[in-house]
Amino acid sequence: MNVSTATLTTALFRRGFRNIFIQGPLRMNPGPNMVGPAYTLRYIPAREDLDGLESFADRENPQRKGVEECPAGAIFVIDSRQDATAASAGCILVTRLQALGCNGIVTDGGFRDTPEISALDMPAYHSRPSAPTNLTKHHAVAINDPIACGGVSVFPGDILVGDNEGVVCIPLHLVAEVAVEAEEMTVFEDFVLEMVQKGASTFGLYPPTDPETMDRFEAWRKQNKR
């Protein structure tokens, strides 16, 4: 909750992960970090004989069923094939997710009813507004399967972290160690930023190649109780 996606991408890069920042979606309602396990929905291109308005009444419709079954604390992640020419969801379904206690929603497509979604408390990320109903372009086929979102592989249960810059997908088995390292990196970078604001050069400071840098950091950390 207290580290940036930028810091997380660096921690994951150290472990060989280069493609974990979901490309395209931006936050609609800036605020505190979004954190939670992925619960996924996958779309394929719509087909006219299957995707009529009557399909919304079907309780097995994966979009509607997925929304109703999304666990509290999860993040609803939609694979829209990076196609924002039709909505991935609208305000009613996003509001329902909020009411169920979900921690956020992410799509590599677009949402409709964006002024209303932007006013919700739950974090929401999309590529751009899109008024047309999802049925014009999207056919929901799978709930809680591995998906692609913004060019990133997202497996159910992976931990998503979103800030006001974007969303990172952390493989579940790495979450604990990445969280510890990212917290430490954040404290050090706060120190570096303060030093730079006071006129220090980044050479020897960032990265800390001068021996005295870490001594100054530990003194700063103790003084600031970090």
Side-chain angles (χ1 to χ4, degrees):
M1 288 296 295
N2 299 309
V3 300
S4 70
T5 57
T7 297
L8 289 167
T9 60
T10 301
L12 286 160
F13 179 71
R14 285 198 177 106
R15 291 160 174 80
F17 290 84
R18 298 172 179 267
N19 186 41
I20 38 73
F21 186 78
I22 297 178
Q23 299 294 327
L26 300 173
R27 188 158 179 164
M28 300 172 64
N29 44 0
N33 277 12
M34 172 190 76
V35 181
Y39 185 87
T40 66
L41 171 69
R42 181 165 61 90
Y43 284 131
I44 62 173
R47 205 172 77 178
E48 286 74 10
D49 60 334
L50 298 174
D51 295 300
L53 288 173
E54 66 279 359
S55 67
F56 285 147
D58 182 0
R59 292 189 175 220
E60 294 302 309
N61 179 307
Q63 184 208 43
R64 300 306 175 86
K65 185 177 181 181
V67 166
E68 292 297 328
E69 295 181 356
C70 188
I75 295 171
F76 198 76
V77 191
I78 306 173
D79 174 0
S80 296
R81 310 177 323 282
Q82 302 186 63
D83 184 350
T85 57
S88 300
C91 181
I92 291 174
L93 296 185
V94 178
T95 300
R96 177 59 175 159
L97 289 168
Q98 177 174 281
L100 290 169
C102 298
N103 281 1
I105 184 169
V106 180
T107 180
D108 58 3
F111 293 129
R112 66 198 308 196
D113 312 319
T114 53
E116 291 80 8
I117 293 175
S118 296
L120 296 175
D121 294 329
M122 186 178 72
Y125 294 79
H126 77 155
S127 296
R128 62 175 174 82
S130 186
T133 175
N134 68 314
L135 297 172
T136 62
K137 288 294 182 71
H138 303 308
H139 178 80
V141 291
I143 303 168
N144 225 25
D145 279 352
I147 63 169
C149 187
V152 173
S153 298
V154 179
F155 288 80
D158 283 348
I159 299 301
L160 297 191
V161 179
D163 60 10
N164 294 327
E165 194 161 39
V167 180
V168 168
C169 178
I170 307 174
L172 181 59
H173 67 283
L174 292 175
V175 168
E177 63 181 82
V178 167
V180 171
E181 181 175 322
E183 184 177 24
E184 288 296 306
M185 289 174 61
T186 298
V187 174
F188 180 71
E189 288 178 356
D190 287 347
F191 159 74
V192 169
L193 181 59
E194 185 174 316
M195 295 302 102
V196 170
Q197 288 170 338
K198 291 178 178 179
S201 169
T202 58
F203 289 131
L205 175 66
Y206 190 69
T209 55
D210 288 347
E212 63 270 20
T213 293
M214 295 310 295
D215 292 336
R216 291 200 302 267
F217 168 59
E218 291 302 332
W220 175 91
R221 187 171 196 173
K222 184 176 180 180
Q223 180 182 356
N224 289 276
K225 298 179 180 179
R226 300 290 299 275

